Amino acid sequence: MGTTGSTTGPTGAPNGPKAYGTTWRNWAGNVTARPAQEITPASVEELAAAVRQAAEDGRRVKPVGTGHSFTSTAATDGLLIRPDLLTGIRHLDREAGTVTVEAGTPLKRLNLALAREGLSLTNMGDIMEQTVAGATSTGTHGTGRDSASISAQIQALEIVTADGSVLSCSPKENPEVFAAARLGLGALGVISAITFAVEPEFLLTAREEPMTFDRVTAEFDQLHAENEHFEFYWFPHTGNCNTKRNNRSAGPEQPVGRVSGFFEDELLSNGLFQVVNSLGRAVPGTIPAIAKISSKALSARTYTDIPYKVFTSPRRVRFVEMEYALPREALVEALRELRAMVDRSNLRISFPVEVRTAPADDITLSTASGRESAYIAVHMYKGTPYQAYFTAAERIFTAHGGRPHWGKVHTRDAEYFASVYPRFGEFTELRDRLDPDRVFGNDYLRRVLGD
């Protein structure tokens, strides 16, 4: 991976483009790229100038965050923009309930800063390593009955377009761009700042409990209706699940104890999980037996804490992932089909299958756009062949009109997306207007958006 953060380029200009020819890799290691140049702009003005110059030179441009996407959406052989210096809070408006942050700000840093101010996002995903621009541009989400993805919490954004213009977008200012760029895949421009809705910090009580596959699928609608945030994990080769219910609480605050937290969140969920996955990769025949033990390793527990400490967890075991959003009413049938497929196959799956939900939203290419959704995510340990499993799972998901997560492995193309997104043409028309020369294009975008 190329060095970043240098203050001078080849000509001595601050943060100017630097020729590297080195290899960039994503977090999972399944995507690599060799950009011709890299830049780490320190201001929106430097960012705009770099985009403008690259466009004049006929060079393609892609911003990159922390590389937590499993697709090549950020890969480029042109100019790679690193947002390492575009971080921090620009403005906090308590009266309006908003915070404006630079695009490269990691979600972890944002959560910590908001907590110091007694504020919080309403909902978030289960990790917080991504940059705010990377997370929203690919549709990162948690689980929620009423509260939606991180992108749906955006109130305004600032984006640098292909000609170097800096465009401000909101429901009132450039609303057609706002509707699309909240989840823009990096296809419409480079986001430089995002304004999120925030609210006074609150407490969540988490209830984690083992449950059988048959019970959780039979009671899914009830569990979803009765809880603000419900999710569960099914362990393939077993009939066992772990469930998690997060609901707002009046307190008092009762966080996970230091010893029990280390045992369950670090030792079992990361350390031991790493060991058993390594064993399963080396000796696949051991996986069903390991799965039966793993599925019973975590016991029931209840704790109450501030939102980011409940929503997010450390994830140190590396993997490759596919996730599809289905109409919520199709969830149980699709999950039962997935289990039947695994049971009758020779596949050996060491990672649990994750199930979450989201309400409908109004973002053009959101996986929950216009429909209440449920998500099924399948994973394979890094370095383990995943194609057979993912192909079989994808066949089930697409039969139910599934929409793949934009930042996770899938094989769909523009023709498919046009059939499952009623507003797909609206997005591509906007792209034609904002980036007719495909300054922000790459092979992935050509496949999923067409050209």
Side-chain angles (χ1 to χ4, degrees):
M1 186 175 292
T3 304
T4 63
S6 175
T7 56
T8 59
T11 62
N15 304 301
K18 295 167 275 290
Y20 282 108
T22 54
T23 301
W24 171 83
R25 291 180 176 83
N26 68 339
W27 177 81
N30 68 311
V31 176
T32 60
R34 292 181 64 85
Q37 291 181 311
E38 294 184 10
I39 188 172
T40 310
S43 67
V44 66
E45 290 80 15
E46 286 186 11
L47 172 60
V51 171
R52 189 180 304 114
Q53 187 62 56
E56 291 176 2
D57 294 342
R59 192 183 297 279
R60 290 184 174 178
V61 178
K62 296 303 293 183
V64 63
T66 56
H68 271 74
S69 289
F70 300 92
T71 68
S72 53
T73 184
T76 187
D77 58 2
L79 175 63
L80 188 73
I81 295 178
R82 294 186 179 272
D84 304 44
L85 302 180
L86 296 175
T87 63
I89 292 178
R90 275 194 193 179
H91 181 63
L92 179 62
D93 189 332
R94 290 183 179 274
E95 185 175 342
T98 61
V99 63
T100 301
V101 294
E102 303 283 348
T105 307
L107 285 167
K108 182 174 184 178
R109 181 174 173 184
L110 173 59
N111 286 331
L112 291 170
L114 290 176
R116 286 194 297 268
E117 299 292 337
L119 299 169
S120 177
L121 296 172
T122 298
N123 197 0
M124 59 193 78
D126 57 8
I127 64 169
M128 53 180 180
E129 309 307 317
Q130 313 101 310
T131 62
V132 294
T136 56
S137 293
T138 53
T140 295
H141 63 92
T143 189
R145 180 190 61 203
D146 308 306
S147 52
S149 70
I150 301 177
S151 298
Q153 297 170 66
I154 295 176
Q155 301 295 296
L157 54 82
E158 178 184 271
I159 185 170
V160 176
T161 58
D163 62 359
S165 300
V166 180
L167 202 62
S168 296
C169 312
S170 71
K172 295 182 178 179
E173 188 175 13
N174 297 303
E176 75 288 355
V177 179
F178 179 73
R182 283 176 287 169
L183 198 168
L185 308 177
L188 304 177
V190 181
I191 293 174
S192 50
I194 299 176
T195 299
F196 291 103
V198 294
E199 60 176 299
E201 190 174 73
F202 52 94
L203 293 174
L204 284 172
T205 292
R207 178 183 171 191
E208 299 176 1
E209 179 185 11
M211 193 176 292
T212 66
F213 180 93
D214 291 340
R215 181 185 168 192
V216 76
T217 51
E219 299 179 9
F220 174 74
D221 287 339
Q222 179 182 347
L223 290 163
H224 173 267
E226 291 178 349
N227 295 281
E228 294 174 78
H229 308 275
F230 176 69
E231 63 184 306
F232 68 94
Y233 299 83
W234 164 59
F235 292 81
H237 312 297
T238 80
N240 302 323
C241 298
N242 277 337
T243 65
K244 184 175 182 180
R245 291 169 252 197
N246 298 331
N247 291 287
R248 295 200 183 206
S249 170
E253 193 170 322
Q254 294 180 316
V256 175
R258 180 171 297 182
V259 174
S260 63
F262 173 78
F263 180 75
E264 295 214 354
D265 297 327
E266 287 294 342
L267 185 59
L268 291 182
S269 297
N270 286 292
L272 184 59
F273 194 51
Q274 176 80 56
V275 172
V276 299
N277 272 279
S278 296
L279 174 61
R281 183 174 63 187
V283 189
T286 63
I287 288 177
I290 290 173
K292 289 179 172 61
I293 297 171
S294 299
S295 68
K296 297 178 180 179
L298 298 176
S299 58
R301 63 175 179 174
T302 300
Y303 53 95
T304 301
D305 215 327
I306 60 175
Y308 83 85
K309 293 184 179 181
V310 174
F311 284 130
T312 69
S313 304
R315 292 285 184 268
R316 310 196 200 289
V317 181
R318 303 205 178 202
F319 54 85
V320 179
E321 180 178 2
M322 168 185 283
E323 182 178 57
Y324 265 74
L326 311 180
R328 191 174 67 79
E329 61 272 15
L331 179 278
V332 171
E333 181 181 352
L335 193 60
R336 287 172 176 160
E337 290 173 7
L338 182 68
R339 182 183 181 183
M341 179 274 292
V342 171
D343 287 348
R344 67 173 178 263
S345 74
N346 293 322
L347 296 170
R348 294 294 178 262
I349 314 301
S350 61
F351 255 82
V353 173
E354 183 179 23
V355 177
R356 295 177 288 176
T357 67
D361 64 41
D362 63 350
I363 302 171
T364 311
L365 290 188
S366 166
T367 48
S369 182
R371 74 183 190 192
E372 194 174 358
S373 300
Y375 296 87
I376 304 178
V378 296
H379 313 69
M380 286 292 274
Y381 183 51
K382 180 182 177 182
T384 304
Y386 61 83
Q387 288 84 354
Y389 178 34
F390 285 12
T391 297
E394 190 172 40
R395 190 175 298 118
I396 293 169
F397 302 152
T398 54
H400 290 279
R403 298 167 176 171
H405 189 299
W406 292 106
K408 300 178 183 179
V409 175
H410 67 88
T411 65
R412 301 299 89 187
D413 59 15
E415 182 179 3
Y416 180 83
F417 290 121
S419 72
V420 294
Y421 283 99
R423 301 170 64 189
F424 185 76
E426 182 182 322
F427 188 96
T428 56
E429 288 172 11
L430 178 64
R431 183 191 185 207
D432 288 341
R433 176 161 68 84
L434 293 180
D435 187 17
D437 297 324
R438 302 297 188 255
V439 172
F440 304 115
N442 64 8
D443 291 343
Y444 177 73
L445 292 183
R446 184 179 301 111
R447 172 164 69 89
V448 301
L449 297 178
D451 212 12

